[in-house]
């Protein structure tokens, strides 16, 4: 088919038309269409039929005639003969002559297609013989154009006719149609009304009544075959006719379609109705939520294509309005008047069982407010249209509405991404945060465009401030009253119901932070990670979670403040503050109000001229606070019409450098990633208007909690008690306790009895701090026999416990007590070694010597080595004492005391409970490390333990008296000690030289001094 | 010239009206649009029998297509 003739192209075109006409498939690329085309072509080209035989056709014609006669359908038979003859004698469009082969072939085609002509009823339609083409165009009028002729007051209005008066009947119908108030009335409804109403006879004699009717009555253009209204005969108003005439003249087969004529005013009004959310129209049609334009609607002064393109443009916006309207209806439960989310929560929920989803409600409320203003504008236009004071054209209306239409586009886009595209089973928390994030992102996106999208930013900002309201209210409720009230589960943090407040785990396991992942919109639980605020932050940043972006910078503060507040509410405040606070609560401003006020004042500030003095600004602020209620009211109705908002957003761009300076100096950490550099303004608005309030509240809450814990719950006292008993700071008390044990050991009596130990402890503590004696108790633990081989490890069975009351046990947890206990055991071991060295008496040895002297005076030769041995023992004892004392001093003063002082200082400065807990943990891990209890430095501890063990063996032998041991054992002890000592000195020196453990320096020095002297 | 052309157009239009009447009488199921397409095709020399078979087939196919669409909906 490379070289197609024109003829073939024509045929192909017609074939396509035929297929389109028969199958209704418009798309030529459609597979079915292509198949049909192929089929038709192959049939046309490669058929096996004979050429048309004129005689055969003639025979068929007579045959049918006969058949009809037989059926005694004479009229039909007559008709048939007449029509065929007439046809054969008529000309064809592109064929010259009559009774040609083409005539026959057309007839034969019809004969082939005919389906039982005898069975069908046929009534011939009277064909109007168009004697001559009626000239529509009034040349006289055209030529007289410009001449002042008396045509009556309203030449363009429909002419009055009696028939019309019967159709357009009651007074009510007319006033309804034209009042311009009830825009919701649809043409169809009107039609129904018209049909139902009884005909009323009109007296149309009065000329003013006639004029009134002509002016006010709308022809029912929506009914089929509506009477054409007469209109101006000016050429410009007849473009459609002229164009049709042209088509009619040039194409003989052009079929003028059935057309519904409307006026431009009607088109404008339907447009206005469409945009105001009315669903039934004549020009626009709704089908499955899609708005389309009726095919055959025309105006006289435009071609149908032109009108259609304009109307299709409008239909797109109509559809956006329709979708948004439907969403509003869905959320409000089809109530006509949505209420603000705070007040109308119960009534506006669609399903009674489900708690209202406040974020959507707030969003809908914002949308509703926007649409109210939009409809106001539409109503104004319609009123102007009714007044007919000035010319209103469709393009002028579109021009006037264009900012609104652009905003609707923005709204629809946000709605599609934020609401419509969310899968139906998504939990509320994801929906809410997704919506807020979408708005947030949209603001940032439009913000970065600059002044080009001021209007959009202003609109989105107002939308965002409304939508964020439930979130801020939840936050407010939480951080002020300690209640996380969120029945619809839309907030990103949720309370775990199973953990009571007065539980040890409250602080860690009460809340769950829900985060929404950026890529896969799956809900992820960061349980507990959220409660430890640092964990929450880290998780969020690492996993690229969006959560709710705007809350991210203050999330930690919110969590801390909320938890603190809840805890605080559950503590019995001994102060009278509570009553005060409850009375003050009424006049307290909510977080949302504060936020709005800040935004307002920030915008106002921007508007002031730079020459304004500070005092003036302060005065403005003061007056603002005075007029708080007025301001709030004003803000409630803030919308995009507010030029203030628009102007100020523009100004923000100009002044942001100055603004940046102002805030970078303050508490605000300005760390922004590269991508968000462009969106300073909006972020800065949040920084200056929202975050400080949360920050302030956070400091207040946590400060209160810390104060209450320290003052009423004696947190510091408990921490001191832990140090007193576990770290042996209460020297005298604990001395009484442990010496009793050591004495028993010395006397070789059994000391590992629970009752004995507890009695000793109670005696020791009860004398000095009776209130602590009930809380302290000691337990015996069985330890594995492998560790028992050294006498020093005998003490490992002891476990000291201190019952810490709630809520202090949040800070001093059982894990902490375990660490305390480890340190306690180490200290006890050192004390034991020290005690056993300290209690050795020289007399033990000298008595033994004297015994030997007295018994065997002749063995003087042996005495010398005995004295030498005693001397060696004494020397070893002093060396051991030096070692143990150095260690004791190091741990008791250098480590425990100084670290304790640091800790106390930090505790005083702790801002919130989390910080306090962290400080406490850090303190414990520090002393744990420095007491060499860490697994990593266990070899050092081993060496020390060996020495301590040696000390115990040594003292044991010493007490056994001279002669109970051999000289070799002294050698062994000396060498063991020397080895350990040397090892420790080397290791510690190395560590000190490296500078990694500065605190070890004193121990290393003192040990070295002892070593050098040996 | 113009009046001559318009006279011819009128004559052709009348022919088409007659043809539409014949078509109605024979119960062919063709409307004005498809009828005028058929006339043009016949004028271009397409065999009427072939054309009629194509029309019948196309009608059948589009009916079954619509029926299947209805089922799926």
């Amino acid at each position: 088919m490379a070289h197609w003739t024109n003829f073939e192209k024509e045929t192909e075109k017609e074939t396509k038309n035929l297929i389109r006409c028969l199958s209704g498939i418009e798309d030529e690329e459609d597979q079915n269409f292509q198949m049909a085309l192929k089929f038709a072509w192959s049939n046309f080209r490669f058929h096996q039929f004979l050429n048309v035989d004129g005689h055969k056709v003639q025979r068929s014609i007579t045959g049918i005639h006969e058949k009809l006669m037989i059926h005694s359908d004479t009229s039909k038979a007559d008709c048939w003969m007449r029509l065929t003859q007439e046809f054969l004698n008529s000309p064809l469009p592109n064929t010259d002559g009559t009774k040609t082969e083409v005539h026959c072939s057309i007839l034969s085609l019809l004969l082939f297609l005919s389906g039982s002509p005898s069975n069908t009823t046929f009534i011939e339609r009277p064909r109007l013989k168009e004697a001559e083409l009626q000239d529509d165009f009034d040349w006289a009028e055209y030529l007289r154009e410009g001449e002042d002729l008396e045509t009556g007051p309203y030449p363009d209005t429909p002419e009055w006719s009696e028939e019309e008066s019967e159709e357009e009947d009651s007074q009510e119908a007319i006033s309804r149609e034209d009042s311009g108030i009830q825009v919701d009335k649809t043409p169809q409804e009107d039609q129904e009304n018209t049909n139902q109403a009884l005909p009323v006879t009109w007296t149309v004699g009065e000329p003013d009544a006639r004029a009134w009717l002509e002016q006010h009555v709308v022809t029912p253009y929506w009914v089929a075959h509506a009477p054409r209204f007469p209109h101006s005969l000016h050429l410009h108003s007849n473009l459609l006719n002229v164009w049709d005439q042209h088509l009619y003249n040039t194409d003989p087969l052009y079929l003028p379609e059935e057309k519904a004529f409307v006026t431009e005013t009607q088109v404008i009004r339907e447009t206005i109705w469409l945009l105001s959310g009315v669903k039934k129209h004549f020009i626009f049609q709704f089908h499955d939520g899609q708005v389309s334009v009726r095919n055959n609607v025309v105006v006289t002064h435009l071609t149908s294509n032109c009108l259609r393109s304009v109307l299709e443009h409008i239909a797109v916006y109509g559809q956006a309005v329709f979708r948004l309207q439907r969403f509003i209806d869905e959320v409000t439960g089809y109530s006509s008047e949505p209420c603000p989310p705070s007040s109308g929560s119960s009534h506006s929920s669609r399903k009674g069982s489900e708690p209202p989803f406040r974020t959507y409600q707030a969003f809908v409320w914002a949308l509703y407010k926007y649409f109210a203003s939009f409809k106001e504008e539409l109503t104004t236009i319609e009123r102007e249209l009714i007044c007919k004071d000035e010319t209103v054209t469709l393009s002028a209306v579109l021009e006037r509405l264009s900012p609104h239409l652009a905003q609707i586009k923005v709204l629809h886009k946000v709605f599609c991404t934020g609401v419509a595209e969310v899968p139906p089973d998504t939990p509320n928390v994801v929906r809410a945060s997704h919506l807020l994030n979408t708005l947030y992102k949209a603001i940032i996106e439009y913000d970065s465009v600059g002044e080009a999208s001021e209007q959009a930013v202003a609109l989105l900002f107002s939308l965002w401030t409304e939508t964020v309201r439930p979130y801020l209210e939840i936050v407010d409720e939480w951080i002020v009253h300690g209640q996380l009230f969120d029945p619809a589960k839309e907030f990103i943090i949720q309370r775990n119901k199973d953990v009571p407040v007065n539980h040890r785990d409250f602080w860690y396991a009460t809340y769950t932070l829900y985060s929404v992942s950026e890529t896969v919109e799956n809900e992820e639980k960061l349980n507990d990670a959220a409660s430890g605020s640092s964990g929450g932050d880290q998780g969020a940043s690492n996993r690229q979670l969006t959560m709710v972006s705007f809350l991210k910078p203050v999330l930690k503060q919110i969590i801390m403040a909320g938890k603190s507040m809840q805890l605080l509410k559950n503590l019995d405040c001994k102060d009278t503050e509570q009553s005060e606070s409850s009375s003050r609560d009424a006049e307290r401003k909510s977080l949302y109000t504060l936020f709005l006020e800040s935004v307002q004042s920030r915008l106002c500030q921007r508007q002031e001229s730079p020459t304004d003095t500070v005092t003036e600004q302060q005065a403005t602020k003061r007056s603002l606070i005075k007029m708080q209620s007025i301001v709030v009211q004003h803000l409630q109705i803030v919308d995009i019409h507010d030029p203030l908002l628009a102007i100020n957003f523009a100004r923000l761009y100009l002044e942001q450098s100055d603004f940046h300076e102002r805030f970078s100096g303050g508490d605000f950490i300005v760390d922004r990633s590269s991508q968000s550099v462009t969106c300073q303004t909006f972020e800065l608005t949040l920084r200056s208007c929202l975050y400080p309030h949360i920050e302030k509240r956070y400091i207040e809450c946590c400060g209160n909690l810390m104060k209450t814990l320290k003052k009423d719950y004696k947190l510091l006292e408990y921490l001191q008690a832990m140090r007193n008993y576990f770290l042996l700071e209460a020297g005298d008390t604990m001395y009484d306790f442990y010496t009793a044990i050591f004495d028993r050991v010395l006397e070789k009596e059994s000391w590992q009895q629970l009752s004995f130990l507890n009695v000793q402890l109670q005696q020791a503590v009860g004398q000095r701090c009776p209130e602590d004696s009930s809380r302290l108790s000691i337990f015996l633990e069985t330890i594995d026999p492998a560790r028992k081989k050294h006498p020093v490890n005998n003490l490992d069975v002891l476990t000291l416990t201190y019952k810490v009351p709630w809520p202090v046990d949040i800070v001093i947890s059982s894990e902490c007590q375990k660490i305390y206990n480890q340190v306690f055991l180490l200290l006890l071991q050192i004390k034991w070694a020290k005690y056993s060295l300290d209690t050795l008496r020289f007399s033990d040895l000298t008595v033994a010597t004297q015994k030997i002297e007295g018994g065997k005076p002749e063995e003087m030769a042996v005495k010398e080595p005995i004295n030498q041995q005693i001397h060696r023992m004494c020397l070893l004892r002093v060396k051991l004492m030096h070692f143990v004392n150095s260690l004791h001093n190091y741990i008791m003063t250098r480590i425990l005391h100084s670290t304790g002082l640091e800790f106390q200082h930090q505790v005083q400065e702790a801002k919130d409970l989390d910080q306090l807990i962290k400080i406490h943990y850090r303190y414990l891990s520090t002393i744990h490390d420095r007491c060499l209890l860490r697994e990593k430095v266990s070899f050092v501890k081993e060496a020390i333990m060996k020495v301590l063990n040696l000390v115990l063996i040594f003292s044991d032998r010493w007490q056994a008296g001279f002669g109970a041991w051999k000289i070799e054992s002294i050698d062994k002890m000396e060498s063991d000690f020397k080895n350990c000592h040397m090892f420790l000195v080397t290791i510690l020196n190395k560590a000190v030289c490296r500078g990694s453990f500065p605190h070890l320096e004193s121990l290393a020095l003192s040990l070295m001094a002892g070593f050098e002297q040996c | 010239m113009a009046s001559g052309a318009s006279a011819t157009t009128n004559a052709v239009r009348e022919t088409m009206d007659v043809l539409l009447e014949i078509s109605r009488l024979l119960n062919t199921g063709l409307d004005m649009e498809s009828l005028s397409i058929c006339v043009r095709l016949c004028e271009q020399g397409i065999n009427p029998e072939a054309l009629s078979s194509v029309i019948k087939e196309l009608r059948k196919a589009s009916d079954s297509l619509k029926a299947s669409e209805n089922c799926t909906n």
Side-chain angles (χ1 to χ4, degrees):
Chain A
M1 289 192 200
H3 302 287
W4 270 19
T5 57
N6 265 347
F7 172 73
E8 273 174 320
K9 276 181 195 161
E10 278 290 308
T11 316
E12 156 115 351
K13 197 179 129 203
E14 291 304 330
T15 317
K16 279 181 181 168
N17 281 341
L18 181 72
I19 292 166
R20 213 170 287 142
C21 186
L22 288 175
S23 65
I25 303 171
E26 292 291 328
D27 183 16
E28 283 188 23
E29 303 301 318
D30 194 314
Q31 200 188 350
N32 292 327
F33 190 92
Q34 290 296 334
M35 275 166 62
L37 188 61
K38 257 185 212 168
F39 171 76
W41 258 118
S42 68
N43 269 282
F44 290 164
R45 300 177 129 217
F46 312 112
H47 62 86
Q48 292 177 331
F49 304 113
L50 294 174
N51 276 356
V52 188
D53 182 359
H55 298 289
K56 213 173 166 186
V57 173
Q58 199 57 54
R59 273 205 301 280
S60 299
I61 290 173
T62 34
I64 287 179
H65 180 246
E66 250 174 64
K67 199 175 176 185
L68 290 172
M69 289 301 278
I70 290 166
H71 279 86
S72 47
D73 219 344
T74 47
S75 67
K76 222 175 183 179
D78 285 348
C79 238
W80 169 244
M81 281 316 276
R82 189 161 37 78
L83 285 171
T84 45
Q85 288 316 310
E86 195 175 332
F87 171 69
L88 286 172
N89 290 319
S90 302
L92 280 172
N94 297 316
T95 317
D96 293 332
T98 54
K99 291 191 180 170
T100 58
E101 197 175 323
V102 179
H103 284 91
C104 292
S105 80
I106 290 170
L107 273 182
S108 80
L109 170 72
L110 293 183
L111 288 169
F112 283 126
L113 285 173
S114 72
S116 61
S118 53
N119 289 342
T120 53
T121 50
F122 170 78
I123 299 153
E124 189 182 5
R125 278 195 297 220
R127 278 170 291 119
L128 290 173
K129 296 257 179 188
E130 288 181 59
E132 56 189 35
L133 184 69
Q134 199 164 357
D135 199 350
D136 274 352
F137 195 67
D138 190 343
W139 286 98
E141 182 80 8
Y142 183 55
L143 292 172
R144 275 204 305 266
E145 181 74 35
E147 288 177 34
D148 199 11
L149 286 175
E150 192 56 49
T151 50
Y154 300 101
D156 282 355
T157 46
E159 266 176 27
W160 182 251
S161 71
E162 286 299 307
E163 292 86 53
E164 250 181 13
S165 78
E166 275 162 25
E167 277 172 33
E168 284 292 332
D169 24 44
S170 66
Q171 181 81 37
E172 179 208 338
I174 289 161
S175 67
R176 173 211 64 229
E177 181 63 47
D178 292 279
S179 62
I181 298 162
Q182 297 173 15
V183 284
D184 280 2
K185 292 287 184 187
T186 63
Q188 270 79 356
E189 284 168 331
D190 290 351
Q191 190 190 340
E192 284 161 22
N193 286 349
T194 320
N195 293 342
Q196 286 160 9
L198 293 166
V200 174
T201 322
W202 280 80
T203 48
V204 218
E206 308 284 325
D208 53 342
R210 178 184 290 268
W212 189 90
L213 280 171
E214 279 176 354
Q215 199 179 345
H216 289 85
V217 172
V218 176
T219 49
Y221 60 91
W222 50 88
V223 296
H225 306 293
R228 287 273 301 270
F229 49 86
H231 58 278
S232 162
L233 294 174
H234 190 277
L235 182 62
H236 294 168
S237 333
N238 285 295
L239 185 62
L240 180 73
N241 274 348
V242 174
W243 177 246
D244 262 1
Q245 193 63 52
H246 169 72
L247 289 179
Y248 191 84
N249 289 341
T250 47
D251 184 4
L253 296 178
Y254 167 73
L255 291 171
E257 288 165 10
E258 178 79 8
K259 283 178 185 126
F261 281 87
V262 290
T263 61
E264 181 156 346
T265 314
Q266 286 159 353
V267 174
I268 294 171
R269 292 183 79 174
E270 288 229 347
T271 302
I272 289 171
W273 293 337
L274 175 79
L275 292 178
S276 56
V278 178
K279 281 176 193 147
K280 287 181 185 169
H281 298 280
F282 176 67
I283 298 175
F284 300 100
Q285 289 172 314
F286 276 84
H287 184 67
D288 291 340
Q290 302 284 319
V291 181
S292 58
V293 183
R294 188 180 283 272
N295 273 327
N296 55 358
V297 171
V298 285
V299 289
T300 54
H301 56 285
L302 286 175
T303 63
S304 57
N305 284 342
C306 176
L307 180 71
R308 199 177 165 77
S309 70
V310 175
L311 291 182
E312 268 167 4
H313 176 67
I314 297 169
V316 173
Y317 291 111
Q319 186 159 342
V321 170
F322 171 67
R323 282 203 70 183
L324 291 170
Q325 198 74 50
R326 198 173 55 181
F327 173 66
I328 292 176
D329 288 346
E330 270 169 23
V331 172
T332 52
Y334 300 102
S335 69
S336 55
E337 192 84 347
C339 292
S342 52
S343 60
S345 54
S346 62
H347 124 94
S348 50
S349 96
R350 188 159 29 132
K351 293 163 200 162
S353 57
E354 277 180 24
F357 185 14
R358 289 189 291 169
T359 304
Y360 269 16
Q361 284 183 348
F363 180 59
V364 160
W365 175 238
L367 281 180
Y368 176 78
K369 283 207 295 197
Y370 171 73
F371 272 114
S373 73
F374 179 52
K375 279 176 189 167
E376 217 168 273
E377 174 79 12
L378 290 175
T379 317
T380 320
I381 294 175
E382 200 182 9
R383 206 167 288 142
E384 280 170 21
L385 196 67
I386 291 165
C387 285
K388 290 183 179 173
D389 284 342
E390 52 192 271
T391 316
V392 185
T393 63
L394 185 59
S395 65
V397 168
L398 289 182
E399 182 71 22
R400 191 167 158 184
L401 287 176
S402 67
H404 277 289
L405 296 180
Q407 280 165 351
I408 284 179
K409 209 167 153 190
V410 171
L411 284 181
H412 187 244
K413 200 175 142 203
V414 167
F415 166 76
C416 283
T417 6
V419 179
E421 285 173 12
V422 179
D425 296 334
T426 322
N428 282 353
V429 54
V430 182
R431 280 167 188 262
S433 54
H434 181 67
L435 175 62
L436 286 171
N437 274 339
T438 311
L439 281 171
Y440 185 81
K441 276 186 202 156
I443 292 175
I444 286 174
E445 200 178 298
Y446 284 102
D447 206 11
S448 56
V449 178
E451 297 195 2
S453 57
E454 261 172 48
Q455 292 273 315
V457 172
L459 169 69
L460 287 172
F461 187 72
S462 69
L463 214 62
W464 184 83
T465 46
E466 277 293 340
T467 313
V468 87
R469 184 181 176 145
Y471 255 51
L472 289 186
E473 276 170 357
I474 290 169
V475 169
D476 183 56
E477 177 75 19
W478 195 28
I479 64 181
V480 173
H481 298 294
Q483 289 291 328
L484 188 61
F485 178 73
D486 180 20
K489 296 202 184 303
E490 57 197 286
F491 194 55
I492 43 167
I493 301 160
Q494 274 160 35
R495 176 89 159 84
N496 297 336
K497 290 273 179 252
D498 46 348
V499 184
V501 179
N502 55 358
H503 190 270
R504 207 187 68 84
D505 288 336
F506 163 76
W507 194 256
Y508 300 100
T510 324
Y511 292 98
T512 308
L513 175 67
Y514 289 87
S515 308
V516 186
S517 167
E518 185 99 34
T519 46
V520 277
E521 284 187 357
N522 281 335
E523 169 196 16
E524 289 183 36
K525 276 188 183 182
L526 293 182
N527 210 348
D528 288 6
S531 43
S533 49
S534 62
D537 281 357
Q538 208 176 14
S541 58
N542 286 349
R543 292 156 76 178
Q544 283 288 313
L545 301 176
T546 55
M547 298 193 294
V548 176
S549 335
F550 79 97
L551 280 179
K552 210 159 144 189
V554 282
L555 192 65
K556 184 197 155 192
Q557 279 86 338
I558 291 173
I559 293 173
M560 289 310 304
K563 283 203 292 192
S564 302
M565 203 59 217
Q566 188 166 14
L567 192 58
L568 206 55
K569 287 282 162 180
N570 282 281
L571 298 173
D572 305 320
C573 273
K574 284 165 190 163
D575 291 354
T576 48
E577 268 181 42
Q578 269 199 322
S579 58
E580 281 177 39
S581 66
S582 62
S583 66
R584 267 186 313 194
D585 195 50
E587 54 203 64
R588 185 187 67 88
K589 289 174 194 168
S590 76
L591 182 62
Y592 185 66
T593 322
L594 284 170
F595 168 59
L596 287 184
E597 266 176 37
S598 301
V599 171
Q600 180 76 353
S601 67
R602 182 173 145 83
L603 294 180
C604 287
Q605 265 181 22
R606 300 281 134 214
Q607 214 181 26
E608 281 166 13
S609 63
T611 52
D612 276 358
T613 56
V614 181
T615 47
E616 273 176 341
Q617 285 184 1
Q618 281 173 345
T620 327
K621 270 186 190 167
R622 235 176 283 135
S623 64
L624 260 177
I625 293 164
K626 263 188 210 163
M627 290 160 60
Q628 178 226 336
S629 58
I630 304 165
V631 168
V632 172
Q633 256 182 357
H634 177 65
L635 276 171
Q636 290 290 337
I637 53 163
V638 156
D639 59 19
I640 45 83
H641 289 308
D642 191 354
L644 192 68
L645 208 60
I647 292 165
N648 288 314
F649 263 92
R651 276 169 190 262
L652 288 182
Y653 285 98
L654 301 175
E655 296 179 24
Q656 67 187 18
S657 57
D658 138 63
F659 183 73
H660 186 79
E661 269 172 28
R662 257 175 65 193
F663 278 89
S664 54
D667 289 346
F668 301 89
I669 312 139
V670 189
D671 58 332
R672 36 180 94 257
S673 53
S674 57
Q675 74 209 10
S676 57
V677 171
T678 48
C679 54
Q680 284 178 356
T681 2
F682 181 53
E683 278 193 343
L684 287 176
T685 309
L686 287 181
R687 258 177 225 285
S688 62
C689 300
L690 178 62
Y691 299 164
H693 298 302
I694 295 177
E695 195 86 22
K696 195 176 144 227
R697 189 64 217 166
Y698 154 74
I699 290 168
E700 215 172 297
C701 281
C702 295
N704 271 345
L705 179 67
M706 293 310 290
K707 217 167 82 187
T708 315
L709 280 180
K710 282 176 188 168
K711 203 172 157 194
D712 301 337
Y713 288 89
K714 296 188 174 139
L715 177 72
L716 295 180
E717 280 80 353
Y718 284 111
L719 287 172
Q720 185 58 47
M722 294 304 283
R723 285 203 304 278
N724 279 348
Y725 303 118
F726 285 85
L727 306 185
L728 310 184
E729 271 188 16
D732 45 355
T733 315
M734 293 314 280
Y735 182 82
D736 286 354
F737 170 64
Y738 59 72
T739 47
I741 303 174
F742 300 155
D743 283 340
R744 277 230 166 177
V745 179
L746 212 60
E747 286 155 24
K748 306 266 185 285
E749 288 174 30
S750 151
W751 57 273
Q752 293 183 346
Q753 292 158 356
L754 211 53
S755 53
F756 162 71
L757 291 169
N758 276 319
V759 167
Q760 288 303 325
L761 186 66
Q762 298 302 332
Q763 273 181 358
V765 178
Q767 282 173 4
R768 291 169 184 89
C769 318
E771 72 272 16
D772 282 337
S773 65
S774 56
R775 297 205 182 96
L776 272 170
S777 57
I778 203 145
F779 293 100
L780 283 174
E781 245 176 45
T782 50
I783 53 165
D784 66 310
R787 287 173 62 199
K788 247 184 173 172
K789 58 188 174 194
H790 299 303
V792 77
N793 286 339
N794 282 343
L795 286 176
D796 287 352
V797 293
L798 293 179
T799 313
L800 186 65
T801 54
Y802 188 91
K803 273 185 220 140
V804 187
W806 185 83
V808 184
D809 62 352
I810 296 172
V811 181
I812 306 169
S813 60
S814 57
E815 289 80 21
C816 294
Q817 284 213 22
K818 268 180 202 153
I819 301 174
Y820 272 119
N821 205 51
Q822 280 181 10
V823 179
F824 171 69
L825 287 180
L826 177 77
L827 291 178
L828 221 54
Q829 283 164 341
I830 294 171
K831 291 276 180 192
W832 191 15
K834 188 171 152 51
Y835 183 79
S836 44
L837 279 179
D838 286 348
T839 49
L840 289 184
R841 284 164 298 179
F842 287 110
S843 59
D844 289 344
L845 284 181
T846 46
V847 166
T849 323
Q850 278 164 7
K851 229 165 43 188
I852 295 166
E853 265 180 18
K856 293 173 181 172
E858 66 281 4
E859 291 177 19
M860 285 301 283
V862 197
K863 198 191 171 186
E864 187 54 35
I866 292 172
N867 277 340
Q868 215 174 338
Q869 277 182 35
I870 292 169
H871 184 65
R872 272 174 74 183
M873 285 290 277
C874 289
L875 275 179
L876 185 58
R877 178 190 171 191
V878 174
K879 280 181 196 167
L880 287 172
M881 275 178 85
H882 175 77
F883 181 90
V884 172
N885 280 337
S886 300
L887 187 67
H888 181 256
N889 276 345
Y890 162 72
I891 288 186
M892 292 306 284
T893 60
R894 182 78 193 148
I895 304 284
L896 296 183
H897 187 66
S898 57
T899 320
L901 285 180
E902 272 172 35
F903 170 64
Q904 274 170 308
H905 187 64
Q906 285 172 340
V907 165
Q908 290 297 339
E909 288 187 345
K911 271 192 212 144
D912 57 57
L913 193 55
D914 238 21
Q915 210 177 343
L916 185 71
I917 292 170
K918 247 189 257 170
I919 289 170
H920 187 232
Y921 259 117
R922 212 184 305 135
Y923 166 67
L924 281 179
S925 76
T926 309
I927 59 172
H928 188 256
D929 272 8
R930 294 189 176 171
C931 290
L932 306 167
L933 290 167
R934 221 158 27 134
E935 204 59 27
K936 209 176 153 192
V937 290
S938 59
F939 56 96
V940 181
K941 197 200 164 198
E942 283 294 302
I944 290 171
M945 282 296 129
K946 237 176 188 172
V947 174
L948 293 183
N949 215 33
L950 203 68
V951 167
L952 292 181
I953 295 166
F954 175 79
S955 77
D956 205 32
R957 291 198 174 147
W958 181 293
Q959 270 157 2
F962 192 78
W965 28 270
K966 291 173 187 167
I967 189 101
E968 293 83 31
S969 61
I970 302 180
D971 287 341
K972 174 96 172 44
M973 282 194 287
E974 274 179 341
S975 70
D976 276 358
F977 175 63
K978 205 176 170 184
N979 283 342
C980 287
H981 199 170
M982 196 154 77
F983 170 74
L984 281 172
V985 167
T986 325
I987 288 283
L988 293 179
N989 259 334
K990 264 191 198 166
V992 170
C993 287
R994 258 208 322 264
S996 42
F997 303 104
H999 55 276
L1000 277 175
E1001 202 171 337
S1002 64
L1003 179 64
L1005 276 177
S1006 63
L1007 286 186
M1008 201 145 74
F1011 188 67
E1012 275 161 1
Q1013 280 165 12
C1014 331
Chain B
M1 182 69 199
S3 64
S6 73
T8 326
T9 330
N10 271 337
V12 170
R13 216 178 292 282
E14 269 174 48
T15 318
M16 289 309 289
D17 285 343
V18 173
L19 206 54
L20 186 64
E21 286 304 309
I22 298 171
S23 156
R24 281 180 55 235
L25 196 148
L26 289 176
N27 194 21
T28 57
L30 293 175
D31 59 2
M32 193 55 161
E33 194 181 352
S34 45
L35 190 63
S36 50
I37 294 168
C38 288
V39 169
R40 268 182 286 221
L41 280 169
C42 283
E43 281 182 320
Q44 282 164 12
I46 301 296
N47 185 292
E49 206 164 348
L51 185 55
S52 75
S53 74
V54 164
I55 288 171
K56 281 176 190 163
E57 284 301 319
L58 280 179
R59 275 179 183 164
K60 228 186 279 172
S62 75
D63 281 349
S64 64
L65 188 71
K66 270 170 199 158
S68 70
E69 265 175 13
N70 281 340
C71 285
T72 49
N73 284 341

